[in-house]
Amino acid sequence: AQSVSQHNHHVILSEAASLELGCNYSYGGTVNLFWYVQYPGQHLQLLLKYFSGDPLVKGIKGFEAEFIKSKFSFNLRKPSVQWSDTAEYFCAVSPYSGYSTLTFGKGTMLLVSP
Amino acid sequence: NAGVTQTPKFQVLKTGQSMTLQCAQDMNHEYMSWYRQDPGMGLRLIHYSVGAGITDQGEVPNGYNVSRSTTEDFPLRLLSAAPSQTSVYFCASRTTSGNTGELFFGEGSRLTVL
């Protein structure tokens, strides 16, 4: 079975600081990778996803992530965070199949101070 | 476009009571699933279904039952609620066509068991 590890449980940044959230997964085969975001009081929304091809994927709101297969990593980055990026971020992995389940990491709570 | 609809949004139960969380989607998705979200634990898969008449257990199935009589609906039943089932529950769905792994989430149902 697959598993996901997120490096930081809480991150505090000032506006305009750069962001990198770590994510490592464990699975022996081909995977799909995702980052979801949950704003306070809301449900999860997709930020970006990687299925195949270019390992650098761009998502909404200026976020991007890089898939490094040799390191089993899929780190999320943003050059300059805003107060509105305050949210919880979840990395998720599923095996490469339309019928596979999605496994989430424990999440990273990002607090951006104005 | 309603997407994934969950009811109720909030519920308080006493230990031993039963209830059903409803989930409906209007996207003709074959795959539906239930997750529970607890602080510091991320989202954990309870049950999932890849089509009408087909269900399977996820990571934390104990204390929960599901059925899938139609493509649209995937109710989650708690037969005898326990305080450990206090959580926020999310229903999510996606297509199984090709390799599309993106999950679409409902707004969540917050359950408190006293």
Side-chain angles (χ1 to χ4, degrees):
Chain A
Q2 65 270 28
S3 65
V4 179
S5 175
Q6 292 185 236
H7 303 169
N8 308 96
H9 295 299
H10 294 90
V11 173
I12 301 174
L13 295 173
S14 299
E15 274 193 316
S18 64
L19 170 71
E20 181 161 3
L21 301 182
C23 172
N24 286 92
Y25 70 92
S26 174
Y27 184 72
T30 305
V31 295
N32 298 328
L33 295 159
F34 307 83
W35 276 97
Y36 281 84
V37 61
Q38 186 178 31
Y39 298 104
Q42 298 188 21
H43 64 291
L44 276 76
Q45 305 170 43
L46 183 68
L47 263 183
L48 48 79
K49 60 187 177 186
Y50 172 81
F51 287 170
S52 63
D54 189 345
L56 184 61
V57 293
K58 296 189 184 299
I60 61 172
K61 304 187 180 186
F63 286 90
E64 65 178 31
E66 184 176 14
F67 171 49
I68 303 179
K69 188 175 181 180
S70 61
K71 295 184 178 180
F72 297 89
S73 70
F74 191 55
N75 293 352
L76 181 70
R77 300 193 292 249
K78 186 172 184 179
S80 176
V81 295
Q82 301 173 325
W83 175 79
S84 58
D85 292 325
T86 292
E88 192 160 17
Y89 294 80
F90 294 94
C91 182
V93 62
S94 72
Y96 195 84
S97 163
Y99 293 89
S100 56
T101 60
L102 191 63
T103 299
F104 287 86
K106 293 188 187 320
T108 297
M109 185 66 219
L110 172 65
L111 178 61
V112 180
S113 57
Chain B
N1 189 355
V4 179
T5 303
Q6 291 182 233
T7 56
K9 286 185 168 40
F10 301 94
Q11 183 73 49
V12 178
L13 291 177
K14 294 181 180 178
T15 298
Q17 287 185 316
S18 63
M19 77 156 299
T20 299
L21 298 177
Q22 302 290 346
C23 176
Q25 52 91 10
D26 61 359
M27 297 173 282
N28 202 32
H29 285 166
E30 303 90 346
Y31 180 100
M32 296 186 74
S33 56
W34 278 102
Y35 287 86
R36 60 177 289 173
Q37 184 179 23
D38 303 290
M41 300 296 291
L43 280 84
R44 292 179 291 169
L45 182 64
I46 305 171
H47 285 285
Y48 66 99
S49 167
V50 297
I54 306 169
T55 63
D56 206 346
Q57 297 180 349
E59 180 185 356
V60 288
N62 292 342
Y64 307 95
N65 281 349
V66 292
S67 59
R68 185 90 179 274
S69 56
T70 67
T71 299
E72 295 77 20
D73 301 298
F74 191 45
L76 178 71
R77 298 183 184 85
L78 287 71
L79 298 179
S80 180
S84 61
Q85 294 178 304
T86 293
S87 187
V88 181
Y89 292 85
F90 287 98
C91 180
S93 73
R94 62 173 174 81
T95 180
T96 57
S97 299
N99 186 35
T100 305
E102 177 183 351
L103 278 176
F104 294 85
F105 283 86
E107 299 285 332
S109 298
R110 183 175 294 274
L111 174 66
T112 301
V113 182
L114 303 175

